[in-house]
Amino acid sequence: MDALNISPQKDEVINSDMYYNLVHGMCVSNLAYQIAKELDFDESKCYELAEAGIVHDIGKLKLSSYLYGRDENTLAVEEMKYIRMHSKFSYDILKNKDYSDFILEAILYHHENFDGSGYPDNLKGTEIPFGARILRVCDVFAALISNRPYRSAFDVNTAVELMIEEVKNFDMQVFLAFLRVINSENSISFYDI
């Protein structure tokens, strides 16, 4: 890594972040597929949501100068504005890579909240593409059950309780399907990756 002028400490952070993002993407992907099945999507749409889940955060690669090698875990307001562009960056990276509009819209809008408080466009309710509404629930859950630099992972029950407190952010049809999936005896272990 020295040829790239990356210090050993920064290399460790990058490897850790790459691992986290891979595991996060797999969790989002598996859960999105299961929720789509629960909502009676056809197999092709379930598969597309699984694809979207794997690559939904690829735009974070453009943010490495803000994320790696920081001395503190907090971000300035201006930096947060830039980081909130990752879904648009993901869309831009993938739009010429033969992904369907369904996948691209799900990725672009996966941080929109059902109450209109999300980003990048403050879409509200059914203005948000259905695939993005599914990814939103999956992304939040996967983040909550993962260790982060600023906190330890929550157990599944605590994660669900926290999501219930913020249920205004989610499409209720999707959220109820999510609850059925994670409480199903037949559910795959999408969060034990």
Side-chain angles (χ1 to χ4, degrees):
M1 290 299 244
D2 289 297
L4 299 174
N5 293 327
I6 297 175
S7 70
Q9 296 85 5
K10 195 179 259 191
D11 181 42
E12 185 178 319
V13 171
I14 290 170
N15 286 337
S16 174
D17 191 59
M18 287 176 67
Y19 176 79
Y20 165 78
N21 280 302
L22 286 171
V23 171
H24 176 76
M26 288 187 287
C27 181
V28 171
S29 175
N30 290 335
L31 185 53
Y33 180 89
Q34 291 293 314
I35 291 172
K37 289 292 262 189
E38 179 67 26
L39 292 169
D40 293 323
F41 279 44
D42 65 49
E43 186 65 25
S44 66
K45 287 295 182 208
C46 295
Y47 182 76
E48 284 187 282
L49 276 168
E51 281 185 278
I54 287 287
V55 296
H56 74 284
D57 279 343
I58 198 167
K60 287 184 177 178
L61 293 172
K62 290 191 168 206
L63 303 172
S64 61
S65 64
Y66 285 105
L67 299 176
Y68 302 131
R70 301 179 56 80
D71 291 332
E72 68 275 351
N73 289 328
T74 58
L75 297 171
V77 172
E78 287 303 313
E79 291 171 321
M80 278 304 296
K81 286 181 184 177
Y82 189 62
I83 288 171
R84 284 184 167 203
M85 295 174 66
H86 81 271
S87 59
K88 174 73 167 100
F89 293 155
S90 296
Y91 174 86
D92 289 342
I93 289 168
L94 298 170
K95 70 181 176 187
N96 295 318
K97 304 288 186 213
D98 204 28
Y99 286 96
S100 71
D101 288 341
F102 178 78
I103 291 172
L104 293 172
E105 288 179 351
I107 290 168
L108 177 61
Y109 298 117
H110 78 273
H111 277 286
E112 296 288 359
N113 290 328
F114 207 68
D115 69 349
S117 65
Y119 61 88
D121 294 331
N122 299 106
L123 300 181
K124 184 177 186 177
T126 57
E127 295 174 342
I128 305 166
F130 205 74
R133 290 183 251 160
I134 292 172
L135 285 187
R136 182 70 181 132
V137 170
C138 301
D139 189 48
V140 170
F141 180 73
L144 289 171
I145 63 169
S146 301
N147 287 319
R148 304 304 280 254
Y150 50 88
R151 64 150 175 83
S152 296
F154 294 104
D155 63 76
V156 170
N157 290 332
T158 303
V160 170
E161 288 173 18
L162 291 168
M163 292 175 75
I164 289 169
E165 290 175 13
E166 298 295 324
V167 76
K168 66 181 176 40
N169 293 335
F170 310 119
D171 177 318
M172 190 53 66
Q173 179 185 7
V174 173
F175 189 72
L176 292 174
F178 156 76
L179 292 176
R180 290 191 301 272
V181 166
I182 64 165
N183 290 308
S184 168
E185 290 179 17
N186 299 325
S187 179
I188 63 168
S189 186
F190 43 79
Y191 44 83
D192 287 335
I193 297 173

PDB file of all heavy atoms in Angstrom, residues 152-167:
ATOM      1  N   SER A 152     -21.633   0.514  19.639  1.00  0.00           N
ATOM      2  CA  SER A 152     -21.712  -0.926  19.398  1.00  0.00           C
ATOM      3  C   SER A 152     -23.028  -1.268  18.714  1.00  0.00           C
ATOM      4  O   SER A 152     -23.997  -0.497  18.771  1.00  0.00           O
ATOM      5  CB  SER A 152     -21.642  -1.683  20.726  1.00  0.00           C
ATOM      6  OG  SER A 152     -20.397  -1.468  21.333  1.00  0.00           O
ATOM      7  N   ALA A 153     -23.068  -2.428  18.099  1.00  0.00           N
ATOM      8  CA  ALA A 153     -24.283  -2.905  17.441  1.00  0.00           C
ATOM      9  C   ALA A 153     -25.397  -3.087  18.462  1.00  0.00           C
ATOM     10  O   ALA A 153     -25.155  -3.455  19.612  1.00  0.00           O
ATOM     11  CB  ALA A 153     -24.002  -4.228  16.737  1.00  0.00           C
ATOM     12  N   PHE A 154     -26.623  -2.810  18.020  1.00  0.00           N
ATOM     13  CA  PHE A 154     -27.791  -3.100  18.838  1.00  0.00           C
ATOM     14  C   PHE A 154     -28.236  -4.528  18.549  1.00  0.00           C
ATOM     15  O   PHE A 154     -28.072  -5.024  17.433  1.00  0.00           O
ATOM     16  CB  PHE A 154     -28.944  -2.148  18.500  1.00  0.00           C
ATOM     17  CG  PHE A 154     -28.669  -0.717  18.866  1.00  0.00           C
ATOM     18  CD1 PHE A 154     -28.342   0.208  17.883  1.00  0.00           C
ATOM     19  CD2 PHE A 154     -28.746  -0.292  20.185  1.00  0.00           C
ATOM     20  CE1 PHE A 154     -28.088   1.532  18.216  1.00  0.00           C
ATOM     21  CE2 PHE A 154     -28.491   1.030  20.523  1.00  0.00           C
ATOM     22  CZ  PHE A 154     -28.159   1.946  19.538  1.00  0.00           C
ATOM     23  N   ASP A 155     -28.832  -5.184  19.543  1.00  0.00           N
ATOM     24  CA  ASP A 155     -29.417  -6.491  19.274  1.00  0.00           C
ATOM     25  C   ASP A 155     -30.676  -6.272  18.417  1.00  0.00           C
ATOM     26  O   ASP A 155     -31.172  -5.147  18.288  1.00  0.00           O
ATOM     27  CB  ASP A 155     -29.732  -7.236  20.579  1.00  0.00           C
ATOM     28  CG  ASP A 155     -30.777  -6.522  21.417  1.00  0.00           C
ATOM     29  OD1 ASP A 155     -31.975  -6.584  21.067  1.00  0.00           O
ATOM     30  OD2 ASP A 155     -30.384  -5.891  22.424  1.00  0.00           O
ATOM     31  N   VAL A 156     -31.167  -7.331  17.831  1.00  0.00           N
ATOM     32  CA  VAL A 156     -32.283  -7.235  16.886  1.00  0.00           C
ATOM     33  C   VAL A 156     -33.501  -6.588  17.535  1.00  0.00           C
ATOM     34  O   VAL A 156     -34.140  -5.697  16.942  1.00  0.00           O
ATOM     35  CB  VAL A 156     -32.632  -8.619  16.296  1.00  0.00           C
ATOM     36  CG1 VAL A 156     -33.928  -8.574  15.503  1.00  0.00           C
ATOM     37  CG2 VAL A 156     -31.490  -9.124  15.435  1.00  0.00           C
ATOM     38  N   ASN A 157     -33.852  -6.993  18.740  1.00  0.00           N
ATOM     39  CA  ASN A 157     -35.053  -6.444  19.398  1.00  0.00           C
ATOM     40  C   ASN A 157     -34.916  -4.943  19.654  1.00  0.00           C
ATOM     41  O   ASN A 157     -35.865  -4.183  19.444  1.00  0.00           O
ATOM     42  CB  ASN A 157     -35.347  -7.190  20.696  1.00  0.00           C
ATOM     43  CG  ASN A 157     -35.819  -8.604  20.444  1.00  0.00           C
ATOM     44  OD1 ASN A 157     -36.416  -8.904  19.406  1.00  0.00           O
ATOM     45  ND2 ASN A 157     -35.539  -9.496  21.381  1.00  0.00           N
ATOM     46  N   THR A 158     -33.753  -4.519  20.110  1.00  0.00           N
ATOM     47  CA  THR A 158     -33.527  -3.086  20.346  1.00  0.00           C
ATOM     48  C   THR A 158     -33.574  -2.317  19.034  1.00  0.00           C
ATOM     49  O   THR A 158     -34.150  -1.226  18.967  1.00  0.00           O
ATOM     50  CB  THR A 158     -32.190  -2.855  21.068  1.00  0.00           C
ATOM     51  OG1 THR A 158     -32.194  -3.596  22.300  1.00  0.00           O
ATOM     52  CG2 THR A 158     -31.954  -1.382  21.353  1.00  0.00           C
ATOM     53  N   ALA A 159     -32.984  -2.878  17.987  1.00  0.00           N
ATOM     54  CA  ALA A 159     -33.014  -2.231  16.669  1.00  0.00           C
ATOM     55  C   ALA A 159     -34.453  -2.025  16.209  1.00  0.00           C
ATOM     56  O   ALA A 159     -34.815  -0.941  15.738  1.00  0.00           O
ATOM     57  CB  ALA A 159     -32.236  -3.053  15.652  1.00  0.00           C
ATOM     58  N   VAL A 160     -35.279  -3.043  16.370  1.00  0.00           N
ATOM     59  CA  VAL A 160     -36.690  -2.927  15.969  1.00  0.00           C
ATOM     60  C   VAL A 160     -37.388  -1.872  16.812  1.00  0.00           C
ATOM     61  O   VAL A 160     -38.165  -1.049  16.284  1.00  0.00           O
ATOM     62  CB  VAL A 160     -37.403  -4.291  16.048  1.00  0.00           C
ATOM     63  CG1 VAL A 160     -38.912  -4.136  15.874  1.00  0.00           C
ATOM     64  CG2 VAL A 160     -36.844  -5.243  14.993  1.00  0.00           C
ATOM     65  N   GLU A 161     -37.130  -1.851  18.110  1.00  0.00           N
ATOM     66  CA  GLU A 161     -37.738  -0.827  18.979  1.00  0.00           C
ATOM     67  C   GLU A 161     -37.347   0.579  18.533  1.00  0.00           C
ATOM     68  O   GLU A 161     -38.195   1.487  18.505  1.00  0.00           O
ATOM     69  CB  GLU A 161     -37.324  -1.053  20.435  1.00  0.00           C
ATOM     70  CG  GLU A 161     -37.964  -2.256  21.079  1.00  0.00           C
ATOM     71  CD  GLU A 161     -37.404  -2.546  22.476  1.00  0.00           C
ATOM     72  OE1 GLU A 161     -36.781  -1.650  23.074  1.00  0.00           O
ATOM     73  OE2 GLU A 161     -37.596  -3.683  22.947  1.00  0.00           O
ATOM     74  N   LEU A 162     -36.078   0.768  18.194  1.00  0.00           N
ATOM     75  CA  LEU A 162     -35.630   2.078  17.718  1.00  0.00           C
ATOM     76  C   LEU A 162     -36.314   2.449  16.407  1.00  0.00           C
ATOM     77  O   LEU A 162     -36.672   3.608  16.195  1.00  0.00           O
ATOM     78  CB  LEU A 162     -34.110   2.093  17.549  1.00  0.00           C
ATOM     79  CG  LEU A 162     -33.304   2.030  18.842  1.00  0.00           C
ATOM     80  CD1 LEU A 162     -31.829   1.754  18.562  1.00  0.00           C
ATOM     81  CD2 LEU A 162     -33.469   3.327  19.638  1.00  0.00           C
ATOM     82  N   MET A 163     -36.504   1.478  15.542  1.00  0.00           N
ATOM     83  CA  MET A 163     -37.190   1.742  14.283  1.00  0.00           C
ATOM     84  C   MET A 163     -38.657   2.080  14.510  1.00  0.00           C
ATOM     85  O   MET A 163     -39.211   2.949  13.827  1.00  0.00           O
ATOM     86  CB  MET A 163     -37.041   0.544  13.338  1.00  0.00           C
ATOM     87  CG  MET A 163     -35.608   0.360  12.848  1.00  0.00           C
ATOM     88  SD  MET A 163     -35.370  -1.132  11.859  1.00  0.00           S
ATOM     89  CE  MET A 163     -36.152  -0.619  10.317  1.00  0.00           C
ATOM     90  N   ILE A 164     -39.287   1.428  15.463  1.00  0.00           N
ATOM     91  CA  ILE A 164     -40.691   1.736  15.784  1.00  0.00           C
ATOM     92  C   ILE A 164     -40.809   3.179  16.264  1.00  0.00           C
ATOM     93  O   ILE A 164     -41.764   3.879  15.914  1.00  0.00           O
ATOM     94  CB  ILE A 164     -41.252   0.733  16.813  1.00  0.00           C
ATOM     95  CG1 ILE A 164     -41.436  -0.644  16.143  1.00  0.00           C
ATOM     96  CG2 ILE A 164     -42.555   1.231  17.428  1.00  0.00           C
ATOM     97  CD1 ILE A 164     -41.741  -1.775  17.102  1.00  0.00           C
ATOM     98  N   GLU A 165     -39.827   3.644  17.036  1.00  0.00           N
ATOM     99  CA  GLU A 165     -39.840   5.034  17.499  1.00  0.00           C
ATOM    100  C   GLU A 165     -39.767   6.024  16.328  1.00  0.00           C
ATOM    101  O   GLU A 165     -40.224   7.150  16.448  1.00  0.00           O
ATOM    102  CB  GLU A 165     -38.679   5.284  18.463  1.00  0.00           C
ATOM    103  CG  GLU A 165     -38.839   4.596  19.796  1.00  0.00           C
ATOM    104  CD  GLU A 165     -37.619   4.757  20.690  1.00  0.00           C
ATOM    105  OE1 GLU A 165     -36.740   5.599  20.395  1.00  0.00           O
ATOM    106  OE2 GLU A 165     -37.538   4.020  21.696  1.00  0.00           O
ATOM    107  N   GLU A 166     -39.183   5.599  15.230  1.00  0.00           N
ATOM    108  CA  GLU A 166     -39.035   6.450  14.042  1.00  0.00           C
ATOM    109  C   GLU A 166     -39.876   5.937  12.873  1.00  0.00           C
ATOM    110  O   GLU A 166     -39.538   6.170  11.715  1.00  0.00           O
ATOM    111  CB  GLU A 166     -37.560   6.521  13.629  1.00  0.00           C
ATOM    112  CG  GLU A 166     -36.656   7.147  14.673  1.00  0.00           C
ATOM    113  CD  GLU A 166     -36.962   8.611  14.914  1.00  0.00           C
ATOM    114  OE1 GLU A 166     -37.324   9.316  13.946  1.00  0.00           O
ATOM    115  OE2 GLU A 166     -36.860   9.055  16.071  1.00  0.00           O
ATOM    116  N   VAL A 167     -40.988   5.279  13.170  1.00  0.00           N
ATOM    117  CA  VAL A 167     -41.777   4.617  12.141  1.00  0.00           C
ATOM    118  C   VAL A 167     -42.327   5.591  11.094  1.00  0.00           C
ATOM    119  O   VAL A 167     -42.605   5.210   9.963  1.00  0.00           O
ATOM    120  CB  VAL A 167     -42.899   3.749  12.775  1.00  0.00           C
ATOM    121  CG1 VAL A 167     -44.049   4.620  13.265  1.00  0.00           C
ATOM    122  CG2 VAL A 167     -43.356   2.666  11.821  1.00  0.00           C
TER     123      VAL A 167
END
